[in-house]
Amino acid sequence: MLGKDLLGLRDLSGETIMEILTAAREMKKKIDDPGLRDNTLNKSSIIAMFYENSTRTKTSFMLAGAYLGGIVQDLGVATSSVNKGESLIDTGLNLDKMGVKFMIMRHQMTGASAVLARNVKACVINAGDGTNEHPTQALLDMYTIYDYLGGFKGLKVVILGDISHSRVARSNAFGLVKLGAEVTLAGPSTLISGSMKSLGVKVTSDIKGAIADADVVMGLRVQFERQKNMPFPNTREYSTLYGINSGLLQYAKKDALVMHPGPVNRGVEFSTDVVDGKNSVINIQVKNGVAVRMAILKLLYEANPDLN
């Protein structure tokens, strides 16, 4: 059962994760059929607070809220009082007073969503905080796996790329391990730490070995914006040594899912033929993101009647 906020998957039980995935299956029907959309959220006010750039996450949350009868607004951080020096907490308190029920926040600082949640009455949803977690992305990734493969027990899931800076990798590791998957994190030694084994996953720089017999191959973007020094000579070398092409993909299972949280740098982490290939569910992940975020909004609304 969800509480007031959704800040990460570290402390979420496997049962709660499955509750979200099950609810998302019902929500997905509302995407294709506008006649099924309703007023579940009873015109609750929803604010998107994105201190970092976003296309998929912000847009899917705003659509999810609208499809469930919420009143959705974008804070527009670039043109808000944040640029006049207003603190995160003061921004949140002001939005609270305006009657906002859901604050969906992405922030460059690890722990920012937890700070906001402790200081406001509204439900706070973490849409990515620093290099910590991105729970809703991991949940939509897990929903996609669940939809295609029917479960998680014993599945071999390989997450490849910039592991060190990836909040997506962390959230997926927390969630997938709880659901019984075997998770391997793979990438250049400069972008991965052996300490990640503490999450209950395997860690390797052997890309071919990691992919062997994988049920799911998930790529990650190299996050140059979070790095002080270039972790490898150039993107061409990265693509040659660590990028996934159709030749390498043959080492995975024949029907392995190819996934990526986006945006994809074609020719770097994945070759174009892999991105557009028959195993790719990258665009389906985007659609599933709307369904999962609808499920989260619905479950939080139901779990917090005092906010309704």
Side-chain angles (χ1 to χ4, degrees), residues 221-271:
R221 181 178 65 87
V222 179
Q223 299 185 44
F224 295 109
E225 71 274 16
R226 300 191 191 280
Q227 301 167 21
K228 294 181 180 179
N229 301 305
M230 187 73 167
F232 42 81
N234 52 60
T235 54
R236 179 178 294 179
E237 178 172 292
Y238 180 91
S239 176
T240 300
L241 296 176
Y242 303 103
I244 306 303
N245 53 41
S246 55
L248 268 177
L249 192 61
Q250 291 179 5
Y251 288 94
K253 290 183 178 177
K254 186 177 180 180
D255 58 351
L257 302 181
V258 170
M259 303 176 66
H260 196 296
V264 182
N265 292 310
R266 291 172 180 258
V268 182
E269 53 262 23
F270 282 157
S271 61

Side-chain angles (χ1 to χ4, degrees), residues 184-244:
T184 298
L185 305 179
S189 59
T190 53
L191 290 175
I192 194 169
S193 169
S195 64
M196 297 291 284
K197 292 178 182 178
S198 65
L199 304 182
V201 303
K202 297 177 182 178
V203 175
T204 183
S205 291
D206 177 7
I207 302 300
K208 186 183 293 184
I211 291 176
D213 296 319
D215 296 285
V216 178
V217 178
M218 185 185 302
L220 299 173
R221 181 178 65 87
V222 179
Q223 299 185 44
F224 295 109
E225 71 274 16
R226 300 191 191 280
Q227 301 167 21
K228 294 181 180 179
N229 301 305
M230 187 73 167
F232 42 81
N234 52 60
T235 54
R236 179 178 294 179
E237 178 172 292
Y238 180 91
S239 176
T240 300
L241 296 176
Y242 303 103
I244 306 303

Side-chain angles (χ1 to χ4, degrees), residues 52-65:
E52 288 186 319
N53 295 335
S54 174
T55 297
R56 282 155 291 276
T57 303
K58 182 166 74 170
T59 303
S60 63
F61 258 122
M62 295 182 78
L63 288 173

Side-chain angles (χ1 to χ4, degrees), residues 16 55 83 92 190 283:
T16 300
T55 297
N83 288 313
T190 53
N283 289 334

Side-chain angles (χ1 to χ4, degrees), residues 273-284:
D273 59 342
V274 169
V275 175
D276 298 329
K278 62 181 179 62
N279 294 59
S280 176
V281 293
I282 295 172
N283 289 334
I284 299 299

